[in-house]
Amino acid sequence: VEDAVAPDGSPVELYLRVAPGPTPALIGAAIPPASSVLDLGCGVGRIAADLVGAGHAVTGVDNSPDMLRYARERGVETVEADVLTLELGRRFDVVLLLSHLVSEADDHLRRACWRAAARHVRPGGLVVVERFSPAWVRTVEPATRVRDGVEVELHDVVHDGDVVHASVTYRIVDREWTQTFAAIAIDDGTMAEEAARHGLVVERILDDEGELVLLRAHETEGAHR
Ligand SMILES: C[S@@+](CC[C@H](N)C(=O)[O-])C[C@H]1O[C@@H](n2cnc3c(N)ncnc32)[C@H](O)[C@@H]1O
């Protein structure tokens, strides 16, 4: 078992074990062939690897070298950096802001993530964000489930208006890791507003759960900067 943990508390072993599900195919179907793709918080390249396989040129950013080692093995061009202050000095056809970073309850952190995505997408390019479904944020209760051999226990759930505070404990064989988070419900209207503030327009929702949202950057640099 890989013991490393990223600075944000994400266990490397977890992301090596859990399959990416339909996300890479949904993203792949929404972006042009042979796109340049920037994956913010790429981890072990769980999502990015399939996009590399589909012929996209993927650059993955993460602040965990332990995560990036695996992403590199999977054909992702890796950059060890903090997403919040990232300045690559180049723009991409597509920017991925997954990992529920747009549901982060802290306004400053959330907006810094949006800004990082906005300053790395080319005019007219695409941004895919992954939020928690707003209904999930408002109603989720403690529960335990098993996914790809990993037991996932959600506990210490406290609802406070549109914000949920909770902890999640992952158990694999005889190891366990706990991460605590605070998420805010981002409704479609709020999503459109936050996007507009960063020069982006919502195009459509890509998945049945309403978590993956496709946005497009304005063709010209707008007044938002
Ligand atoms: C929940 S994991 C998901 C990884 C990947 N997106 C996936 O779906 O498999 C979140 C990743 O974001 C990285 N991360 C979190 N905050 C970050 C930051 N401020 N700068 C760079 N990486 C960050 C973590 O190290 C971790 O690898």
Side-chain angles (χ1 to χ4, degrees):
V1 177
E2 163 71 79
D3 278 316
V5 173
D8 77 341
S10 298
V12 175
E13 181 72 23
L14 173 74
Y15 291 93
L16 291 175
R17 294 225 178 195
V18 175
T23 301
L26 290 168
I27 294 171
I31 67 177
S35 291
S36 58
V37 178
L38 176 65
D39 185 359
L40 298 174
C42 67
V44 297
R46 196 173 62 105
I47 309 292
D50 283 359
L51 296 173
V52 170
H56 302 287
V58 186
T59 300
V61 173
D62 207 286
N63 61 0
S64 164
D66 297 308
M67 291 277 191
L68 288 177
R69 194 153 50 85
Y70 293 97
R72 204 171 304 121
E73 281 173 9
R74 293 168 164 177
V76 177
E77 187 190 316
T78 61
V79 178
E80 184 184 332
D82 191 327
V83 167
L84 304 179
T85 53
L86 188 70
E87 188 49 85
L88 290 178
R90 65 172 281 213
R91 288 172 182 265
F92 295 78
D93 299 328
V94 179
V95 177
L96 308 181
L97 185 57
L98 308 179
S99 313
H100 307 110
L101 289 169
V102 295
S103 296
E104 164 60 52
D106 183 292
D107 292 347
H108 293 287
L109 281 182
R110 189 173 70 252
R111 298 210 170 133
C113 289
W114 274 107
R115 283 197 301 273
R119 69 177 172 263
H120 289 94
V121 68
R122 70 165 172 77
L126 296 168
V127 174
V128 180
V129 301
E130 180 185 37
R131 65 176 169 184
F132 285 117
S133 109
W136 184 90
V137 172
R138 293 197 179 95
T139 62
V140 65
E141 291 180 4
T144 300
R145 64 197 173 87
V146 177
R147 186 173 166 195
D148 298 326
V150 180
E151 186 185 290
V152 183
E153 182 189 355
L154 191 73
H155 55 98
D156 293 299
V157 178
V158 179
H159 288 278
D160 177 12
D162 274 351
V163 174
V164 64
H165 300 264
S167 293
V168 57
T169 296
Y170 303 102
R171 296 190 183 87
I172 302 170
V173 197
D174 58 347
R175 308 294 165 92
E176 66 169 54
W177 300 265
T178 298
Q179 251 180 311
T180 293
F181 64 91
I184 188 165
I186 303 292
D187 294 306
D188 291 351
T190 311
M191 173 68 69
E193 283 168 23
E194 297 222 337
R197 206 173 285 141
H198 299 94
L200 302 166
V201 179
V202 175
E203 287 223 321
R204 62 193 163 92
I205 291 172
L206 300 179
D207 64 327
D208 295 339
E209 294 75 30
E211 295 206 332
L212 280 179
V213 183
L214 180 70
L215 308 110
R216 189 174 289 280
H218 293 310
E219 283 292 345
T220 53
E221 301 276 310
H224 62 282
R225 271 163 227 274

